[in-house]
Amino acid sequence: MRILLISEPGDQNTLYGLYDAMATLEIVPPNGPRERGKTGFSLVGEDAQIHSVTEVTLSKGLIKGFTLVYPAADAPRMARVLAAMKTSFKPLGDTALDPTLGQPMAVGRADLIAGLDVRHPEFARSGLFIDAKGAVLTAAEGLSACGKVTIEGAPAKIAFADPGLGIAVLQPLAPLAPPAVARFETVTAGRGAALAVAGFSYPEALSAPVVSFGTLSDLTGLAGEPERARLAVKTLPGDVGGPVLDGAGAVFGMVLPQGGETARLLPPEMTVAVQTSALVPVLAAQGFAPRAAEPGGTLAAEDISALAQGVTAQIACWK
């Protein structure tokens, strides 16, 4: 059994930040009821190994509370302990632990949540919002093995997958309003056209997508697949599933993973994508009506980057 005591000064924003941070800890399994209000929150996490209960309140600029962690097998006995904790816990005084106390360290506070391990996804990648309800188009590879998938941290489900194209559509379990919805090109770009790839290249370090610029090398895959294209742009695993935008900001395609034999054939600065011409009929047949881009001129790089920020979503796979 472990008991953690929480004490820090703060306001409602600090409280909400603590809630988000606590929800990512290994000692707080993702399953279990939770509630967050303006003056406090409760978190219950349960899996086959451990259970944990967190109770936190905000009062007069002070955030105080506790977390009780115990083996799942001890749940009946721990019910009495938890009851005693709730009835006896009483914040004292008008001060809290100063977060600046102690020797300065060369480690960011985000990495030092009381020395506790943070829960990490099996993998994280990118996707693009395709409707106003928050549905996201992404790469299908590996999703079927996920115990849970999330869109921007929100629980989601796999609406459908097309292994042939290597794509899948995820839908959030609760309403999710995207910043922007992708619009798909109606005229295919030609060889040599300028393109941009948006994706969460560094999912652990950056909370925003990175935009990389390059050109269209060919309108077929390595084996001559007509639904694919080769791009002269370097990408990372976190970019997989992200949108490929043409010079007008319309979606030219979606980045595919570089796995198996294909990865050994591709030079490091080349990426394979599935084209919009193949995506649109499949999405429409599944009840997702891709929005068509309006004809327009070439946008400046900063305008394409701003557009990409809105349509690109972060996807995570959890055990």
Side-chain angles (χ1 to χ4, degrees), residues 6 8 13-23 41 43 56 63 113:
I6 299 165
E8 67 172 320
N13 289 331
T14 311
L15 179 75
Y16 287 179
L18 178 62
Y19 175 89
D20 292 338
M22 292 291 297
F41 66 79
L43 273 172
V56 177
I63 296 172
I113 307 177

Side-chain angles (χ1 to χ4, degrees), residues 7-10 14 96-105 107-109 112:
S7 175
E8 67 172 320
T14 311
L97 290 180
D98 186 341
T100 65
L101 286 175
Q103 294 294 324
M105 301 182 68
V107 181
R109 285 195 68 204
L112 287 175

